[in-house]
Amino acid sequence: MGHSAAIWDYRAATEITKDWNGIDQILLRTPRGSSARVSLHGAQVTSWRNEHGEELLFTSSKAIFKAPKAIRGGIPMCFPQFGNCGSLEQHGFARNRMWAIDENPPPLPGNDSSGKSFIDLVLKSSEEDMKCWPHSFEFRLRVSLATDGDLTLISRVRNINGKPFSFSFAYHTYLLVSDISEIRIEGLETLDYLDNLFKKERFTEQGDAITFESEVDRVYLSSPNIIAVLDHEKKRTFVIRKEGLPDVAVWNPWEKKSKSMVDFGDEEYKQMLCVDGSVIEKPVSLKPGEEWTGRLQLSVVPSSFCSDRLGLDRSGL
């Protein structure tokens, strides 16, 4: 690029293009070569690449990139419902709506955009949404990419209704992994979880780390604010930092369920793992005029970083 980080024009590093369905997508780039791609369809991050150009998020080879179908992969936004825990469509409607670029968003606390390439998007309640979920809201999302390649998503949901409402939420993050049988998650040990394979029955995690040898569909409760996903084969670790997101959903469909999904390859479960910063067990309640913020930061570090250096403890951020 020929630019030093000091004089890098972050606005110029934000490029708007169209995908093959004619839907606007935003490309964020950094001087070191990292990039992220965000679609206006669902405000979904569909790609996150490191400085070597290696993709870090999983997207199914059979994903359907056509609204209103949700895209199988990347980071779908689950709002105002996670899963099938309410009366709405699976994972709510936000991931299936067309969002708009927010040209003049209310300022975020602190100087969060300093030294980052970023885009602000907004979704406002429509007449169609009000029929199935009769609440007026504004959902603002900032997606930013730091010079070191860290990807941050900040969601702000404001109640502009005349009455309170509540919602559940998740960043449904599809991580690309080398081999699911070689993956372990640290930071969720000893926690209680709801097991969706056993009618949301509550269990306590017994292992010293979470590993995978069959289908997993769980929601870990009251989790620490830093989680690590270790990929033994690639010798790298995804570090997930979060605020305002007490729960962590963990999902891998394994072999049988993979074959039942039309937008998912039969063997693709081996290369993906969903680890979602979320609010599920106790939904967010907002009075009129109140706003909720949920923040997710994704980093990748060499696995030679041990857990102690990552600060995997209860204190979080």
Side-chain angles (χ1 to χ4, degrees):
M1 292 281 182
H3 291 76
S4 72
I7 60 171
W8 179 256
D9 182 349
Y10 284 92
R11 277 297 177 192
T14 304
E15 178 185 342
I16 300 175
T17 60
K18 290 189 183 295
D19 66 15
W20 46 85
N21 287 311
I23 296 172
D24 282 351
Q25 55 183 357
I26 298 94
L27 177 65
L28 306 177
R29 293 177 288 123
T30 72
R32 295 180 186 173
S34 302
S35 67
R37 197 177 296 275
V38 190
S39 175
L40 290 190
H41 174 197
Q44 189 158 330
V45 177
T46 56
S47 173
W48 173 38
R49 293 178 181 268
N50 64 16
E51 59 192 44
H52 306 296
E54 297 168 330
E55 182 59 62
L56 301 169
L57 297 177
F58 168 86
T59 299
S60 173
S61 62
K62 295 189 174 182
I64 300 167
F65 290 84
K66 192 161 188 177
K69 179 69 177 174
I71 302 166
R72 177 73 70 185
I75 310 178
M77 312 292 291
C78 301
F79 170 88
Q81 173 183 301
F82 178 79
N84 57 3
C85 61
S87 59
L88 301 174
E89 60 197 274
Q90 172 88 353
H91 291 322
F93 52 73
R95 65 183 186 150
N96 296 329
R97 297 290 182 265
M98 292 302 297
W99 290 52
I101 294 174
D102 196 356
E103 300 288 358
N104 191 25
L108 282 161
N111 193 14
D112 191 79
S113 61
S114 178
K116 295 179 180 179
S117 174
F118 67 92
I119 190 70
D120 288 293
L121 303 177
V122 63
L123 178 70
K124 298 183 180 182
S125 43
S126 66
E127 286 185 25
E128 181 185 357
D129 298 332
M130 294 284 279
K131 290 175 185 175
C132 61
W133 199 67
H135 306 293
S136 296
F137 67 90
E138 291 179 347
F139 186 157
R140 287 185 159 82
L141 172 69
R142 172 168 292 183
V143 181
S144 61
L145 192 65
T147 304
D148 60 8
D150 287 5
L151 180 69
T152 301
L153 292 83
I154 303 174
S155 289
R156 293 182 287 172
V157 177
R158 179 174 288 277
N159 181 352
I160 57 172
N161 215 34
K163 58 185 179 181
F165 64 69
S166 60
F167 63 89
S168 54
F169 174 90
Y171 292 109
H172 193 25
T173 308
Y174 285 78
L175 301 176
L176 182 63
V177 300
S178 54
D179 180 351
I180 187 63
S181 63
E182 299 281 334
I183 301 300
R184 55 189 280 137
I185 303 177
E186 295 184 0
L188 302 178
E189 52 277 5
T190 76
L191 297 185
D192 284 0
Y193 63 87
L194 307 178
D195 196 326
N196 291 320
L197 302 180
F198 292 91
K199 299 180 179 178
K200 297 183 172 64
E201 190 175 340
R202 193 178 185 117
F203 297 93
T204 300
E205 180 58 53
Q206 302 295 332
D208 60 358
I210 299 168
T211 55
F212 299 87
E213 47 195 32
S214 61
E215 182 182 355
V216 171
D217 190 354
R218 300 173 182 171
V219 176
Y220 286 83
L221 310 174
S222 302
S223 61
N225 280 340
I226 304 181
I227 310 295
V229 180
L230 289 76
D231 189 328
H232 179 72
E233 191 172 309
K234 286 195 182 296
K235 295 182 172 58
R236 72 183 180 198
T237 297
F238 290 98
V239 182
I240 301 169
R241 294 178 172 88
K242 58 191 181 67
E243 295 175 25
L245 303 162
D247 304 322
V248 173
V250 178
W251 180 63
N252 182 285
W254 219 254
E255 191 171 7
K256 185 178 178 182
K257 185 163 284 184
S258 294
K259 291 179 178 177
S260 71
M261 295 188 290
V262 295
D263 58 349
F264 195 87
D266 290 356
E267 300 289 316
E268 287 185 330
Y269 71 92
K270 296 174 182 177
Q271 271 71 58
M272 59 74 65
L273 175 63
C274 284
V275 183
D276 309 349
S278 52
V279 186
I280 298 170
E281 186 195 24
K282 298 173 183 173
V284 176
S285 292
L286 291 180
K287 296 173 185 173
E290 285 187 334
E291 184 174 86
W292 166 85
T293 301
R295 186 177 190 273
L296 182 77
Q297 179 183 331
L298 301 176
S299 314
V300 178
V301 299
S303 289
S304 53
F305 274 62
C306 66
S307 300
D308 291 342
R309 288 175 68 185
L310 293 175
L312 287 175
D313 58 28
R314 302 289 158 183
S315 62
L317 295 176

